[in-house]
């Protein structure tokens, strides 16, 4: 536990997690941005459509907005991948009642084509638009949304949740528990907040990754890696990590986990090959220490072993079915 806390803490510090302002209940810290607050400037979607920011994207809608750029070497990718997990939890509400917008922080490089490639690499579903446009216009939109960083490196990784119909806006974080974030998004809808709650059997807030976290690296893996990688369940955003500790040597893995962008810049042949294979998205540099990397390697190894022994056991059961 102590160990997990330590690694997560390093990561969380690096991620500058924001304290969420809760919607519903006591919405004291949530802003109220009414009509005329947002500029109605033109933006272009990853599908090349020209839209007006306020009239077409915000007016009367419930929205989730974050800021990314496709060349981001660190956590935009993790943030996007975690938001995909939230989108899955919200199901067909996204695109019908709730809309997700990712606004680029780098409109000069992020053409609609670049954003489309990025969206496809992550497998975003309908109801989620990536937006670019004139840098000056986007700066103003961002400013109004509270994103006021001056350089790409210091951008925030929070999300804004808003309901234009009620004028309620609040900041949240993609690094918080995803079930809770999905709950905050649903709470944008006053009808949902007012519904009669049936007693639920299953607690919504099982802190995955914390209760299970006696294995070194597990909590960190669930929080920082699982949105992009599976171990034994196939390619997600990045490669399936089953058996990765056997197919790569340990020293390479440590260096790659600590600074994948540096490996690529140095033209490491394996990093180059992986980059060519996974177009549109890169393994992020998450500020991991060597100890974090060693814990993650131990976890990937144990999980691989566990899956293999499960597979063997179920093979045996098939051969000798129980009466
Ligand atoms: C935003 C998505 C994303 C996140 C988050 C992410 N990765 Fe990756 N990872 C990738 C992609 C994509 C690649 C393929 C290389 C590339 O394109 O940069 C990769 C490659 C890898 C590789 C090399 C695989 C191989 O076959 O050699 C390992 C190991 C790895 N990641 C582990 C991790 C671990 C551990 C974490 C969590 C600390 C993590 N990744 C977080 C996207 C991600």
């Amino acid at each position: 536990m102590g160990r997990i806390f330590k690694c997560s803490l390093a990561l969380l510090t690096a991620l500058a997690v924001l304290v969420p302002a809760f919607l519903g209940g006591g919405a004291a810290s949530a802003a109220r941005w009414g009509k005329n607050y947002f500029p109605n400037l033109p933006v272009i979607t990853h599908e090349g459509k020209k839209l007006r920011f306020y009239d077409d994207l915000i007016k009367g809608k419930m929205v989730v907005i974050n800021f990314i750029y496709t060349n981001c070497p660190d956590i935009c990718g993790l943030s996007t991948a975690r938001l995909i997990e939230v989108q899955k939890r919200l199901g067909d509400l996204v695109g019908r009642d709730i809309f997700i917008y990712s606004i680029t922080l780098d409109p000069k490089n992020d053409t609609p084509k670049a954003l489309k490639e990025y969206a496809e690499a992550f497998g975003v579903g309908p109801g989620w638009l990536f937006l670019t446009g004139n840098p000056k216009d986007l700066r103003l939109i961002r400013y109004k949304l509270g994103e006021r960083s001056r350089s790409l490196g210091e951008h925030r990784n929070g999300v804004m949740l808003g309901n234009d119909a009620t004028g309620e806006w609040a900041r949240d974080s993609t690094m918080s528990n995803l079930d809770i974030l999905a709950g905050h998004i649903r709470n944008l809808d006053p009808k949902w907040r007012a519904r009669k709650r049936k007693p639920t059997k299953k607690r919504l807030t099982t802190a995955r990754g914390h209760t299970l976290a006696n294995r070194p690296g597990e909590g960190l893996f669930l929080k920082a890696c699982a949105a992009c990688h599976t171990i034994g369940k196939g390619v997600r955003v990045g490669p399936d990590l089953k058996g990765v500790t056997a197919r790569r040597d340990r020293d390479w893995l440590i260096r790659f986990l600590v600074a994948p962008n540096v490996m690529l810049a140095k033209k490491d042949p394996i990093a180059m090959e992986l980059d060519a294979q996974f177009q549109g998205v890169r393994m992020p540099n998450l500020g991991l220490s060597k100890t974090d990397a060693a814990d993650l390697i131990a976890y990937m190894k144990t999980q691989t072993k566990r899956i293999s022994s499960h597979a063997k056991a179920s093979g045996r059961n098939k051969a000798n079915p129980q009466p």
Side-chain angles (χ1 to χ4, degrees):
M1 174 66 205
R3 187 158 186 192
I4 295 301
F5 180 68
K6 195 179 70 205
C7 350
S8 307
L9 194 69
L11 180 70
L12 295 185
T13 312
L15 296 177
V17 169
L18 301 151
V19 179
F22 294 95
L23 276 160
S29 49
R32 288 199 179 263
W33 291 336
K35 241 177 151 181
N36 303 328
Y37 177 79
F38 288 109
N40 198 24
L41 293 165
V43 291
I44 308 169
T45 72
H46 65 286
E47 286 156 339
K49 236 182 170 175
K50 257 197 192 153
L51 299 174
R52 291 262 158 200
F53 184 70
Y54 182 74
D55 282 354
D56 297 325
L57 296 172
I58 304 291
K59 196 171 168 185
K61 292 188 168 66
M62 290 185 272
V63 300
V64 176
I65 303 178
N66 76 341
F67 304 93
I68 54 107
Y69 60 107
T70 61
N71 285 329
C72 172
D74 44 57
I75 54 179
C76 316
L78 174 57
S79 188
T80 303
R82 287 179 63 87
L83 214 46
I84 298 257
E85 296 300 302
V86 173
Q87 184 181 27
K88 285 185 196 152
R89 284 162 169 75
L90 295 169
D92 56 10
L93 287 177
V94 179
R96 192 185 70 202
D97 298 347
I98 297 163
F99 298 85
I100 306 178
Y101 307 133
S102 292
I103 302 179
T104 179
L105 290 159
D106 184 14
K108 281 200 187 117
N109 289 314
D110 285 344
T111 57
K113 185 169 168 278
L115 291 175
K116 185 159 198 263
E117 196 176 284
Y118 186 80
E120 280 168 0
F122 281 93
V124 305
W128 184 338
L129 296 176
F130 287 75
L131 304 173
T132 185
N134 177 317
K136 229 166 105 193
D137 294 347
L138 288 198
R139 209 173 309 129
L140 184 60
I141 290 171
R142 263 167 35 209
Y143 190 84
K144 286 286 192 170
L145 286 162
E147 214 302 319
R148 294 175 187 180
S149 50
R150 262 161 286 143
S151 69
L152 283 179
E154 65 170 280
H155 63 272
R156 290 182 142 142
N157 284 280
V159 274
M160 287 305 299
L161 315 182
N163 181 345
D164 183 61
T166 62
E168 289 167 290
W169 287 81
R171 194 181 297 289
D172 215 310
S173 166
T174 52
M175 291 313 293
S176 60
N177 176 295
L178 295 177
D179 291 326
I180 294 179
L181 178 57
H184 288 170
I185 295 170
R186 295 227 64 186
N187 275 344
L188 289 167
D189 182 355
K191 276 196 253 123
W192 172 259
R193 296 204 296 258
R195 80 202 184 283
K196 274 218 174 91
R197 283 171 208 247
K198 290 192 197 120
T200 44
K201 276 187 212 132
K202 203 177 125 213
R203 273 186 55 215
L204 193 65
T205 58
T206 41
R208 291 191 208 178
H210 291 282
T211 45
L212 309 168
N214 281 328
R215 279 169 256 155
E218 181 167 33
L220 186 57
F221 188 89
L222 294 176
K223 190 144 209 167
C225 322
C228 287
H229 292 287
T230 76
I231 303 178
K233 292 195 181 136
V235 169
R236 191 167 271 173
V237 179
D240 187 337
L241 298 177
K242 183 178 168 209
V244 74
T245 55
R247 71 174 176 265
R248 308 284 180 223
D249 77 53
R250 186 183 166 84
D251 175 60
W252 184 90
L253 275 176
I254 300 254
R255 284 186 292 129
F256 188 75
L257 292 176
V258 168
N261 52 334
V262 174
M263 301 275 281
L264 195 59
K266 287 191 180 155
K267 303 205 181 325
D268 172 88
I270 302 173
M272 301 250 297
E273 192 188 314
L274 285 168
D275 183 53
Q277 222 177 320
F278 289 83
Q279 297 275 324
V281 53
R282 281 192 182 141
M283 165 79 179
N285 181 333
L286 296 169
L288 301 177
S289 68
K290 283 191 178 163
T291 318
D292 293 334
D295 285 351
L296 288 164
I297 290 170
Y299 179 70
M300 293 186 282
K301 206 177 207 168
T302 326
Q303 284 305 95
T304 300
K305 229 190 253 166
R306 183 182 282 253
I307 297 164
S308 311
S309 58
H310 270 303
K312 263 189 221 148
S314 63
R316 261 203 308 279
N317 288 344
K318 263 186 215 136
N320 304 301
Q322 297 290 317

